[in-house]
Amino acid sequence: MSTTPYRWRWLAFAVILTGTVMDLLDGTVVNVAAPNIRTSLGGSYSALQWISAGYTLAMAVMLITGGRLGDLLGRKRMFLVGAAGFTLASIACALSANSEMLIAGRVLQGALGAVMVPQGLGMIREMFPPKEMAAAFGLFGPVIGIATLLGPIVAGGLIDADLFGTGWRMIFLINAPLGLAAVYLGIKYLPNTGGTHSARLDVTGMVLVTAASLMLIYPLIQGRELGWPAWTFALIAGSVLLFAGFIWHSSRRGLGALVPISLLRKRQFVGGIFVALVFFGSVVGFMLTFGVFVQVGLGYSPLRASLTMTPMALGSAMGAGLGGAVLGPKFGRHTLHAGLAIMAVGVIGLALTLQRYGTGIHSLDFAPAATIAGIGMGLVFAPVYDIILASVDDHEIGSASGVLSAMQQLGSALGVAIIGTVFFGLLGSHAGGAAGTVAPGLRTQLSAAGIPAGAQAQIVAGFRTCLHDRETQKDPSATPRSCQTQPGLPALPQQAQRALATAGVQAHRRSAVASAQTTSLVSAGALGLTFLLAFLLPRAARPQEAYEPEPETVTVSV
C-alpha cells in the first residue's frame, strides 16, 4: 500500500480515454449510417430514432447505477466488465438481421457503456496528484466535443469504404479491436480502486427513474407513427408523476439514494440539469436529423454526408480550445451565453442557406453556417460541466458528475425523440406544397409524352396523393397502394413514367428541404431556451483546487 501517485497513471488514463471515446463515437455513428441501415434491414422512421435513442436512453438510466456498482464491486472490475460487454454488444449490433435485433443490441451497448464510463472518472480522481488533476480533467472537455462530432465522419468513411463488404456493419465491428485493447491494457495498468461496500444500490430509485424515462421517451418516438392515441399522452403524464415519486423516494432514503436529495435542493444545480437536458437534446437531435436529411432528402452518399458535417466538427474543435483554455476560466457563464448565441446564429444560418439554395444546394454551401454553429457548440462543450459543478459541495462532486452525465444522455434521447419526430412529421405536411410546385413541369412532360389533358389531371391528382402517402407511411421502403397503377388509366409510356419518377424525386427533396428548414428553427429555439436557463447557473467555474481530493490509498495490481 502506498499514498504516492500511481506509477502507471498516464497509461491507465489512456485506457480510460479509449473506453470513453469508444462510447462517444457509438453515440453518434448512426447519424450518418441510419439511412443505409434502414435500406439494409428495413423498418419504419421510428426504428431509425430508436436505433439512436435506445442507446442514449439505456446509457442515461444506467449511468448512476453503474457508478454505484463501481463503489460496491470495484472500479477496475466494473470498467473491465463494461468494456468487454460493450465490445460483445457491438459485435451483436454488426450481426443484426433486422432492425429489432439492432435496437436490442444498441440498448445493450448503452447499458454496458454506462457500467464502463463512470469508473474512469473515479479512477482518475484517485490516481492523479492534485498538481496533475487539472491536466487530466482538462483533456476531457475537448475530447467529448470532438469525439461526439467525429462519429458521423468516421461512419461515413467506413460505410463508403465498404471494408470486406461489411458496409454499415463496420461502424460497430471497429469496436472489436478497440474494446479488446481496452480490456487487455486495463487488466495490466488500471489500479484496483473502489469496492469499499460503503454504498448500497438504490434498487427502488433505479426502477422509478428507468420507468419514468421509458414512459416519457416511448410515446414521443412512437406517437407520430401510431397517430397519437390517448394512451401516449397518459404515459407522458404518468412519467411526470414517476419522476416526482423518484424525488420523494430520494428525500426519504437520504444518503443512500440514487441521487442525493441535497443536490436537488440546490437551485443552481437543478438549473444545470435543465441546461444539460435542453442543450444536449438540441445538439444530438439536430445532428441526427441533419445526417438523415442530407442522405434521405438530398441523396448524398454516407461519405459526402460526413464531409458535409466536417466544418461543424472543425469549428467545434476551435470553440472547445477557446472555451476551455481561454474564455471559460476568464468569463465563466458569459462564455456559455456567447457559445449558445453563436450556435443559434449558425443553425439559423443553415435554415437560411436551405432557403436560398433549395434542392440545388452543394456541400460547400453548408460550410459557413456549419462552422459558426460548431464554434458555438465547442464554446459550450468545454466549460459547461465546470460551471454547473461550481454550485455543489466537495463531497457531492462524484454524485453530481454522475447525475449530469445521465442528464446529458437522457437529453440526447429526448432530442432524438422530439426533433426527429418534428422532422419526419413535417415531411407529410410539406408534401402538398412540394407536389404543387413540381406539378406544372410534370404536366408539361406528360403533354410531351402524348397524355391527354383529362388523363393528366387524374395523374397529377394521384401523384399528390402518392407523395403524401410516401412521406407519411410507417415503412419508407414500402410502396403505398396510392402509388400503384390507377384504375381506369392505361399503362403509361416510358417517357411519362420517367417524368413521374423525376417529379417524385424533386418533390421529395423540396419537402425534405422545407422540413429541415423548420427543424433547424426548432433547434435554434431550443438553444434560445438553453440561453435563458443558463442564467440559473453559477457565474464562474469551480476553482480547480476544489476538485483536489485528499491523498487516498490505491491498491495496485499489475
Side-chain angles (χ1 to χ4, degrees):
M1 289 190 172
S2 172
T3 58
T4 59
Y6 178 49
R7 177 184 177 187
W8 304 107
R9 57 191 179 278
W10 286 109
L11 280 172
F13 179 79
V15 173
I16 292 167
L17 209 57
T18 299
T20 302
V21 168
M22 192 164 57
D23 157 59
L24 290 169
L25 289 176
D26 270 63
T28 56
V29 287
V30 296
N31 292 355
V32 165
N36 288 76
I37 292 172
R38 181 187 62 75
T39 301
S40 173
L41 301 181
S44 64
Y45 281 128
S46 64
L48 294 185
Q49 293 171 271
W50 274 117
I51 291 168
S52 177
Y55 179 91
T56 52
L57 180 60
M59 174 73 75
V61 299
M62 282 295 295
L63 263 172
I64 302 173
T65 302
R68 286 301 177 100
L69 288 174
D71 293 334
L72 284 165
L73 303 176
R75 295 192 180 96
K76 175 178 180 175
R77 179 181 301 171
M78 296 315 299
F79 180 92
L80 295 174
V81 168
F86 188 92
T87 304
L88 291 174
S90 299
I91 295 172
C93 288
L95 298 177
S96 296
N98 53 54
S99 58
E100 290 78 13
M101 289 179 62
L102 179 56
I103 292 169
R106 291 286 287 168
V107 170
L108 279 175
Q109 268 192 315
L112 289 160
V115 173
M116 172 180 64
V117 170
Q119 318 311 331
L121 294 176
M123 284 187 281
I124 289 171
R125 291 177 56 78
E126 293 174 327
M127 290 188 301
F128 285 90
K131 64 181 180 181
E132 295 180 357
M133 189 75 67
F137 275 108
L139 289 174
F140 261 85
V143 167
I144 288 174
I146 294 170
T148 300
L149 289 173
L150 275 179
I153 298 172
V154 171
L158 289 175
I159 294 169
D160 261 35
D162 193 22
L163 300 174
F164 312 110
T166 55
W168 61 266
R169 299 177 190 274
M170 184 53 69
I171 67 173
F172 298 114
L173 288 174
I174 196 68
N175 286 334
L178 292 175
L180 289 174
V183 171
Y184 173 74
L185 295 174
I187 292 172
K188 290 179 63 69
Y189 296 115
L190 290 179
N192 287 320
T193 66
T196 62
H197 297 273
S198 60
R200 292 293 179 268
L201 189 60
D202 180 8
V203 177
T204 302
M206 182 179 69
V207 171
L208 283 172
V209 76
T210 300
S213 301
L214 285 172
M215 288 172 65
L216 180 60
I217 299 294
Y218 182 80
L220 288 174
I221 290 181
Q222 295 293 138
R224 184 194 68 86
E225 183 177 306
L226 299 174
W228 295 105
W231 61 261
T232 58
F233 297 101
L235 279 180
I236 293 173
S239 74
V240 176
L241 295 177
L242 279 188
F243 277 122
F246 171 73
I247 294 173
W248 177 82
H249 166 76
S250 298
S251 67
R252 298 268 297 182
R253 187 171 175 95
L255 293 177
L258 199 63
V259 177
I261 195 63
S262 60
L263 289 175
L264 301 180
R265 290 173 177 158
K266 297 181 184 294
R267 181 183 64 84
Q268 291 179 319
F269 182 76
V270 172
I273 288 176
F274 284 106
V275 167
L277 278 171
V278 181
F279 173 69
F280 286 103
S282 61
V283 169
V284 176
F286 174 77
M287 293 297 293
L288 173 68
T289 302
F290 187 80
V292 171
F293 158 68
V294 294
Q295 293 181 80
V296 173
L298 298 180
Y300 289 6
S301 68
L303 180 59
R304 184 178 177 185
S306 64
L307 292 176
T308 302
M309 302 167 84
T310 300
M312 190 174 291
L314 295 176
S316 178
M318 291 187 291
L322 284 172
V326 181
L327 301 180
K330 185 174 182 179
F331 297 105
R333 190 176 69 190
H334 295 308
T335 304
L336 298 184
H337 280 127
L340 290 165
I342 292 170
M343 186 178 176
V345 168
V347 172
I348 293 172
L350 288 172
L352 295 175
T353 301
L354 287 170
Q355 184 178 27
R356 177 180 178 184
Y357 293 102
T359 58
I361 195 167
H362 190 275
S363 295
L364 291 178
D365 298 326
F366 289 109
T371 303
I372 292 171
I375 290 172
M377 192 188 307
L379 285 174
V380 179
F381 269 144
V384 64
Y385 273 17
D386 281 349
I387 292 173
I388 294 173
L389 292 174
S391 62
V392 304
D393 298 326
D394 290 354
H395 68 279
E396 298 170 322
I397 289 292
S399 296
S401 298
V403 170
L404 284 180
S405 296
M407 291 304 103
Q408 173 187 337
Q409 298 296 332
L410 181 58
S412 298
L414 279 170
V416 169
I418 295 173
I419 297 178
T421 297
V422 169
F423 175 75
F424 292 126
L426 286 172
L427 285 175
S429 302
H430 290 297
T437 302
V438 302
L442 176 59
R443 285 180 179 273
T444 301
Q445 293 296 318
L446 292 175
S447 295
I451 305 298
Q456 288 179 28
Q458 189 175 351
I459 292 171
V460 171
F463 171 75
R464 291 175 183 270
T465 303
C466 169
L467 179 66
H468 177 271
D469 292 348
R470 274 193 181 280
E471 303 290 52
T472 57
Q473 67 183 353
K474 298 177 182 178
D475 183 358
S477 62
T479 301
R481 182 175 299 177
S482 59
C483 297
Q484 298 170 9
T485 303
Q486 300 177 36
L489 281 177
L492 297 177
Q494 287 190 352
Q495 183 179 352
Q497 292 179 20
R498 287 195 297 269
L500 274 172
T502 301
V505 171
Q506 292 173 344
H508 171 68
R509 289 188 176 182
R510 288 179 181 275
S511 177
V513 166
S515 300
Q517 282 181 255
T518 306
T519 304
S520 297
L521 296 177
V522 170
S523 300
L527 293 170
L529 176 59
T530 312
F531 184 94
L532 296 176
L533 290 171
F535 283 106
L536 299 174
L537 301 181
R539 293 181 178 274
R542 186 180 182 87
Q544 186 61 47
E545 58 267 18
Y547 286 103
E548 297 174 3
E550 295 297 322
E552 298 186 48
T553 298
V554 177
T555 304
V556 178
S557 176
V558 177

